[in-house]
Amino acid sequence: MIEPNGTSEKGYYENIIVICPTCKSKKNLKIPTKIINQSKQLTTVSIPSGTVCDHGFQSFVDKNFKIRGYQRVDFEFAKMEFFEGGGDIDDGYIQDEETTSLSSLPLFKDIIKLLRSYVDTKEILGSGLFSIEGNVLYSSLPSNTLFSITKEFEVRSEKKLSNLKKMYLELENNQKICSNYIEIQKMRFALVLFFAHTVKLGMGNLYLNDLVKKIKELEG
């Protein structure tokens, strides 16, 4: 069992000011430093409507926690998201992004869409895709949970336990984290779903198995 609120470590967050590209509203947001530091160049932060203003948008943050650009979106996401890479923006300011082998492929965008589609406000509270060392490729997990799960992956990697197929964790508030190691494009990753306290581990495992199956279908 891991603590639900183990994120008080100094230096875990960095404050950045984001500006909505539509209405120019501003807000100071706390961004986990680990995600930005591990990225090779840029990190995309998806900001849902209601966080800064009535609009949802994406910001592209570099390793110095400077915002390099924004992008309006024509879809809605329920949670704040982080994922590796900066994508393309209209003025071409962000291009030739250096990313991992997976996040540079069109398949990565399809996987993000699939992970996003699984998240709701009742049962599945977040999702994520990680390297086996704990680096974040994509996450819509709450910050506290994200910190806990990355630490868990780091420990398992150091102890050479990444040959395990699945991992189940239960927080003190009975929320659950279910993870499945999966091979995508001959690379190994950890897939994570975060469940509300009302979801039983057996049901969580069914959701996770279904997600793995759909990713394999995307891969062809």
Side-chain angles (χ1 to χ4, degrees), residues 52 70 109 151 182:
V52 174
Y70 295 96
K109 292 183 179 180
K151 292 295 291 183
I182 180 174

Side-chain angles (χ1 to χ4, degrees), residues 130-150:
F130 300 79
S131 72
I132 58 174
E133 295 82 17
N135 291 338
V136 180
L137 276 76
Y138 168 82
S139 173
S140 63
L141 300 168
S143 294
N144 291 352
T145 305
L146 178 61
F147 178 79
S148 297
I149 196 69
T150 53

Side-chain angles (χ1 to χ4, degrees), residues 53-99:
C53 57
D54 292 336
H55 306 107
F57 58 95
Q58 293 177 318
S59 61
F60 306 104
V61 184
D62 68 18
K63 292 182 69 66
N64 296 315
F65 296 91
K66 303 296 184 182
I67 294 179
R68 296 273 301 279
Y70 295 96
Q71 179 169 268
R72 299 179 180 89
V73 294
D74 56 3
F75 55 89
E76 185 60 63
F77 25 78
K79 309 286 184 179
M80 185 175 291
E81 301 174 340
F82 303 92
F83 55 92
E84 185 178 67
D88 298 318
I89 58 177
D90 293 339
D91 60 8
Y93 185 56
I94 301 173
Q95 294 180 349
D96 299 323
E97 172 69 14
E98 183 184 5
T99 57

Side-chain angles (χ1 to χ4, degrees), residues 111-123:
I111 292 174
I112 288 177
K113 289 178 183 177
L114 182 60
L115 289 169
R116 187 181 287 141
S117 72
Y118 267 70
V119 176
D120 55 38
T121 58
K122 294 181 179 180
E123 293 189 336

Side-chain angles (χ1 to χ4, degrees), residues 96-109:
D96 299 323
E97 172 69 14
E98 183 184 5
T99 57
T100 66
S101 297
L102 177 62
S103 59
S104 62
L105 298 175
L107 174 63
F108 184 57
K109 292 183 179 180

